[in-house]
């Protein structure tokens, strides 16, 4: 059976899960690094979607005060 990510998101009632992109919901406890445009989990970089970025950064920034900018 197919299920939308929105319905999965609504079933994940824990504040530990944060939607960062239309394709990604992450467990904030598994984030290794957090930057202004992505999170790293298990050696993989997952980008923020523009629709979800502001909320995700405010939620994750509160949990992880060491928000760093990605080097340019």
């Amino acid at each position: 059976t197919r299920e939308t990510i929105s319905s999965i998101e609504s079933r994940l009632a824990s504040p530990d899960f944060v939607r960062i992109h239309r394709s990604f919901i992450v467990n904030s406890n598994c984030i290794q690094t957090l930057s202004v445009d992505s999170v790293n989990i298990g050696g993989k970089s997952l980008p923020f979607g523009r629709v979800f970025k502001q909320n995700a950064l405010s939620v994750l920034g509160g949990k992880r005060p060491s928000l760093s900018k990605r080097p340019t």
Side-chain angles (χ1 to χ4, degrees), residues 16-36:
D16 292 335
F17 292 96
V18 180
R19 179 104 179 246
I20 65 163
H21 187 276
R22 70 181 189 157
S23 301
F24 305 122
I25 298 172
V26 299
N27 182 335
S28 62
N29 297 318
C30 295
I31 295 174
Q32 295 167 331
T33 60
L34 174 66
S35 72
V36 294

Side-chain angles (χ1 to χ4, degrees), residues 20 24-26 37-41 44-48:
I20 65 163
F24 305 122
I25 298 172
V26 299
D37 59 353
S38 66
V39 296
N40 287 312
I41 297 177
K44 303 282 185 190
S45 179
L46 303 174
F48 289 113

Side-chain angles (χ1 to χ4, degrees), residues 47-63:
F48 289 113
R50 63 181 170 86
V51 172
F52 302 97
K53 183 177 182 175
Q54 184 175 357
N55 180 62
L57 284 174
S58 67
V59 171
L60 296 172
K63 291 185 172 202

